[in-house]
Amino acid sequence: MSFLPSHDPVFRGAPAETFEHCKVAYIVKMYPRFSETFIVSEILAHERAGLSLEIFSLRPTVDTHFQDMLARVRSPVRFVASARPRTADFWAALSTAGNSLPRFWQMLGQFAGEDERDVYQAALLARELAAGGFTHIHAHFASVAATVARMASRLTGIPFSFTAHAKDIYHETVDAAELRRKLGDAAAVVTVSDFNEKFLRKAYGPAAGRVRRIYNGLDLENFPFSAPRNRENIVVAVGRLVEKKGFDDLIRAMGVLRDRGVSARCEIIGSGEMDDELRGLIANHRLGETVALIGPLPQREMANRVGLASVLAAPCVNGLDGNRDGLPTVLLEAMALGTPCISTAVAGIPEAVRHGETGILVGERDVSALALAIESLLSDIDMRCRLAAAARQMIEAEFSVNRNSAAVRKLFTVGRISGAEAA
């Protein structure tokens, strides 16, 4: 089977971009984060394209492991003071920003009721962005990063945009009125699946009129394809050990397979709050010889393990708190590598895992169907190869980070400031 060349297959031949007088501030809650490789990939793609940007982190990282891909990021990383300010520091920051930003005091009154730390960080950020000649602000996640980005935008007149993912729009703690304000004031809004776009437009009406779906992209050079013809009976799963991943269902499915006499082992890569619970489940089902919790791995090592497996299982569920995955990046990575995927029809997953075409979908919390799907892929090599080939072609056509990040960059030249407007 031959495929398009792995590097920049859809980006090659695209017209050259120019970024004269364009400088972008990337606002994130925490940088770096081990699980947010999609943000780093996007930043690296911007850098390859020649975009000038700097990264602003609103909180210090709490991760204990880091991806090796971080070493390739050349953009400066700046950490905004994150401790709750003393009263004197709060007013000093506002006074300093007010002395240098003509619209500062006029706009500040709009932030009544906002968290004081968010206002403080917005004032610090606004002053830095204005002095640094930034032309656009982009935040990842519609939560605190977009909150501070919106306020900094209003204080400076620099347009802002943000990418909405999943927890930041579906979790029960989302403040609908606040999200509506962000959607309405942003010059542009990106979200990562058609499902999310439809949800936002239905829930927020005209305020969501500038929402546009742009998929997270992969650097395909890091995920070379190999047909899954000669692979061991390994089922791999990757993600944080949290409810929405459905890893408890996967463990139960492996118990069903063991009871049927199917020889296979399962590796779950990741860490999280359910570690003890999942280990208990493995012990209770006497699956210690079958299921292993591997812990977190750098992206390269993760890709090596996924590329050796016969199946990637992502039995995602809607969490009791509303949390869910938008479109897990690991599904895209597995498809690029040639590992056939089994997942559920949660949120935007069917946009990539097209049942019977690029993967297999089973019902949410349907352990029996999950076990049956795993068994079918382990036993039917031709089906594995057919699904894997179609999935790789889809990834090349729709999920290249170079093409998709170029679509994001076009939004950075949008000059609109909305809402109560720069008066």
Side-chain angles (χ1 to χ4, degrees):
M1 179 69 65
S2 67
F3 291 91
L4 295 168
S6 63
H7 186 54
D8 294 350
V10 297
F11 196 61
R12 185 179 297 119
E17 299 174 87
T18 58
F19 303 109
E20 189 176 5
H21 307 305
C22 185
K23 186 177 181 182
V24 178
Y26 252 61
I27 313 299
V28 292
K29 178 180 179 181
M30 197 176 292
Y31 184 91
R33 294 216 67 179
F34 190 82
S35 61
E36 294 176 356
T37 56
F38 47 89
I39 295 178
V40 179
S41 294
E42 186 176 287
I43 288 170
L44 289 171
H46 291 328
E47 292 182 350
R48 287 194 297 272
L51 178 68
S52 175
L53 63 88
E54 294 187 17
I55 303 160
F56 292 84
S57 177
L58 302 178
R59 305 283 189 276
T61 186
V62 295
D63 287 345
T64 57
H65 298 72
F66 300 97
Q67 299 285 355
D68 51 9
M69 65 194 299
L70 287 170
R72 307 207 312 270
V73 174
R74 293 292 176 263
S75 301
V77 181
R78 302 166 73 173
F79 295 89
V80 183
S82 59
R84 288 204 171 274
R86 297 180 304 169
T87 301
D89 294 337
F90 177 81
W91 287 109
L94 266 57
S95 178
T96 302
N99 289 336
S100 59
L101 300 172
R103 52 189 285 155
F104 183 87
W105 296 112
Q106 180 185 1
M107 290 293 149
L108 189 65
Q110 298 179 6
F111 306 150
E114 297 280 4
D115 184 280
E116 64 179 12
R117 177 165 57 173
D118 294 344
V119 176
Y120 177 66
Q121 290 194 305
L124 295 173
L125 189 62
R127 190 162 65 96
E128 292 296 322
L129 299 184
F134 287 86
T135 60
H136 193 89
I137 306 167
H138 186 73
H140 261 284
F141 290 94
S143 44
V144 66
T147 297
V148 174
R150 171 183 170 268
M151 286 194 280
S153 171
R154 301 206 66 77
L155 293 172
T156 59
I158 302 171
F160 89 104
S161 55
F162 65 91
T163 299
H165 291 268
K167 181 179 181 180
D168 50 338
I169 55 179
Y170 295 119
H171 195 270
E172 62 184 2
T173 58
V174 171
D175 183 328
E178 184 182 5
L179 180 52
R180 188 184 302 278
R181 284 195 295 273
K182 296 172 193 173
L183 291 167
D185 284 354
V189 179
V190 175
T191 193
V192 298
S193 71
D194 290 332
F195 184 93
N196 285 359
E197 181 181 353
K198 291 175 183 175
F199 169 82
L200 289 169
R201 289 183 182 278
K202 182 177 180 180
Y204 295 95
R210 287 178 294 282
V211 175
R212 179 184 174 187
R213 186 271 289 160
I214 301 176
Y215 288 130
N216 286 335
L218 295 183
D219 185 345
L220 297 175
E221 192 171 59
N222 295 332
F223 300 94
F225 178 87
S226 67
R229 182 163 297 281
N230 300 308
R231 297 190 184 182
E232 295 183 49
N233 277 3
I234 301 173
V235 180
V236 68
V238 183
R240 289 183 297 121
L241 308 184
V242 295
E243 180 194 14
K244 68 179 181 179
K245 299 297 182 181
F247 291 149
D248 51 341
D249 290 338
L250 176 58
I251 292 170
R252 294 186 179 93
M254 294 306 298
V256 172
L257 292 173
R258 186 269 318 274
D259 294 344
R260 286 184 188 160
V262 177
S263 176
R265 72 175 191 272
C266 175
E267 298 176 344
I268 300 177
I269 299 169
S271 61
E273 61 198 42
M274 289 182 65
D275 187 284
D276 289 343
E277 182 178 337
L278 295 180
R279 291 186 187 280
L281 192 61
I282 292 169
N284 290 339
H285 285 73
R286 302 186 305 281
L287 288 166
E289 300 295 321
T290 302
V291 181
L293 299 183
I294 303 297
L297 292 176
Q299 187 185 59
R300 187 175 304 175
E301 293 181 41
M302 178 276 294
N304 288 340
R305 285 183 180 260
V306 171
L308 293 172
S310 292
V311 179
L312 180 128
C316 301
V317 301
N318 289 291
L320 295 175
D321 57 3
N323 197 10
R324 69 194 76 168
D325 270 319
L327 179 49
T329 303
V330 68
L331 285 170
L332 311 179
E333 294 168 342
M335 290 181 181
L337 290 163
T339 302
C341 296
I342 301 171
S343 193
T344 59
V346 168
I349 290 173
E351 295 168 40
V353 183
R354 299 163 187 169
H355 184 64
E357 178 186 349
T358 61
I360 295 177
L361 292 174
V362 299
E364 189 179 344
R365 292 295 187 199
D366 191 338
V367 171
S368 296
L370 177 60
L372 187 62
I374 293 172
E375 184 175 8
S376 66
L377 280 177
L378 292 177
S379 61
D380 190 337
I381 296 174
D382 288 341
M383 180 169 69
R384 283 205 314 250
C385 292
R386 175 176 59 79
L387 294 175
R392 172 69 193 203
Q393 290 179 328
M394 177 202 66
I395 293 294
E396 289 183 353
E398 302 180 34
F399 293 92
S400 158
V401 74
N402 288 327
R403 185 186 68 173
N404 294 2
S405 64
V408 174
R409 284 193 295 279
K410 288 182 179 178
L411 304 178
F412 297 162
T413 60
V414 176
R416 177 182 173 281
I417 296 290
S418 65
E421 287 307 327

